[in-house]
Amino acid sequence: MARIIVIVILVIFVLWSLLVQCRHGHPAWETLRQFRYAHRGLHNREKGVPENSLAAFRLAARHGYGAELDVHLTADGRLAVIHDNSLLRTAGVDVKASELTASELAEYRLEGTGEHIPLLEEVLPIFEGVSPLIVELKVDNGNSAALAQATCEMLDRFHVDYCIESFHPQAVRWLRQNRPEICRGQLSQNFLKGEHTGMGFAADFAMTHLLTSFFTLPDFIAYNHKHRRRASLKLARGIWKVQEVSWTIRTPEDMKTCEKAGCLSIFEQFEP
């Protein structure tokens, strides 16, 4: 009986290990590991520098930081750099970026400033030859393939170091299948408490425990630093040697802890 239990445990461990498998040793890490990343640019609302604005990205580059940014596909196939699909929080208007054309999007201003919502093609020149970007794909209404393809094609036009990440496994899967040379990452957190995926308990469980990794083979796991004490994350790091990226760090103490553990830092609300 004891032998059967041991065998069952070993089988479960092997299957679990295979589910969280990742890709190791991407050459992009030689550059990416040299930087810290300003979350949505080096923004500061009190100083009139909105998140995901050209001003925030210029500040990040000027201070020698990389930057994390978010992209949505607009109605006419352009790439809007904004976190929420809805403009309500950032521009005070209850419309969706994915339902607007680029010219319509250009009419709105961020957080009551003169800063417009930039397109990805406006941001990329800021970082050419300066510092890298972490580009997050924000999937809307199942457009993962179109969004990933448009983003890759835009990045191809500029000489900038970057990696691409997404919460949506289908977007990361597209990169694996169509652009395997790109450094790709799976975003996650503990979806079993607080914020959920919106796709039910099974999806919350799978995403929390990185059980879609076999499907996407990510080069890195970007995990909420408050939730990083997950067995699956430790297993992926221990067996597959995957790079961990910690988001979003808001104190020097948390940054020190995460970096001591070998994580890359995505930070905001302070300057390291």
Side-chain angles (χ1 to χ4, degrees):
M1 183 65 181
R3 184 177 180 182
I4 294 174
I5 293 174
V6 170
I7 292 173
V8 169
I9 291 173
L10 286 174
V11 169
I12 291 172
F13 180 79
V14 170
L15 289 175
W16 185 17
S17 300
L18 291 174
L19 287 173
V20 301
Q21 66 181 295
C22 303
R23 188 169 67 164
H24 174 67
H26 196 286
W29 293 122
E30 184 176 350
T31 299
L32 295 174
R33 286 194 180 110
Q34 298 178 31
F35 294 85
R36 290 164 170 162
Y37 296 85
H39 189 233
R40 307 175 195 171
L42 198 60
H43 60 93
N44 188 320
R45 178 173 292 185
E46 293 180 358
K47 294 182 179 180
V49 182
E51 65 177 60
N52 276 325
S53 66
L54 291 178
F57 295 126
R58 291 190 183 105
L59 277 176
R62 191 179 307 155
H63 286 76
Y65 302 122
E68 180 270 354
L69 57 80
D70 313 278
V71 290
H72 289 265
L73 199 63
T74 65
D76 55 346
R78 307 288 287 280
L79 293 160
V81 178
I82 190 167
H83 181 269
D84 306 351
N85 190 17
S86 169
L87 305 190
L88 186 59
R89 179 180 66 87
T90 52
V93 184
D94 193 12
V95 294
K96 293 182 178 180
S98 62
E99 297 176 356
L100 299 174
T101 65
S103 60
E104 290 170 337
L105 195 71
E107 298 176 7
Y108 300 103
R109 293 296 177 266
L110 293 167
E111 299 177 11
T113 70
E115 291 287 327
H116 68 281
I117 299 165
L119 299 175
L120 183 58
E121 62 208 65
E122 297 178 276
V123 177
L124 292 178
I126 297 171
F127 292 91
E128 282 191 302
V130 180
S131 53
L133 290 171
I134 298 177
V135 180
E136 180 180 345
L137 303 179
K138 291 289 190 179
V139 176
D140 301 304
N141 304 314
N143 68 350
S144 57
L147 172 62
Q149 182 173 352
T151 301
C152 292
E153 290 175 353
M154 180 58 66
L155 288 163
D156 287 343
R157 293 170 48 187
F158 295 85
H159 298 287
V160 62
D161 294 303
Y162 67 90
C163 58
I164 301 179
E165 64 181 12
S166 183
F167 279 104
H168 204 298
Q170 288 288 1
V172 186
R173 173 71 171 179
W174 188 95
L175 294 171
R176 177 188 175 185
Q177 292 180 319
N178 297 277
R179 296 297 298 268
E181 76 281 5
I182 291 175
C183 185
R184 58 184 182 264
Q186 180 64 59
L187 270 159
S188 195
Q189 62 180 0
N190 185 357
F191 288 105
L192 297 172
K193 294 184 178 180
E195 184 180 351
H196 301 288
T197 63
M199 295 180 287
F201 175 79
D204 290 347
F205 185 89
M207 291 295 294
T208 296
H209 296 289
L210 307 175
L211 301 183
T212 63
S213 294
F214 78 99
F215 179 71
T216 59
L217 289 186
D219 295 294
F220 65 98
I221 302 294
Y223 216 92
N224 186 328
H225 81 96
K226 295 179 180 179
H227 306 161
R228 62 180 301 269
R229 296 182 182 276
R230 311 299 307 178
S232 289
L233 182 56
K234 292 180 179 179
L235 189 62
R237 289 192 59 171
I239 292 180
W240 302 105
K241 309 301 180 185
V242 70
Q243 175 65 54
E244 182 181 352
V245 178
S246 293
W247 61 273
T248 298
I249 295 171
R250 294 185 171 92
T251 67
E253 293 76 21
D254 285 338
M255 176 174 280
K256 183 178 179 180
T257 298
C258 290
E259 291 183 346
K260 187 176 180 180
C263 306
L264 270 66
S265 297
I266 298 176
F267 70 91
E268 69 178 6
Q269 298 181 5
F270 76 101
E271 285 192 42

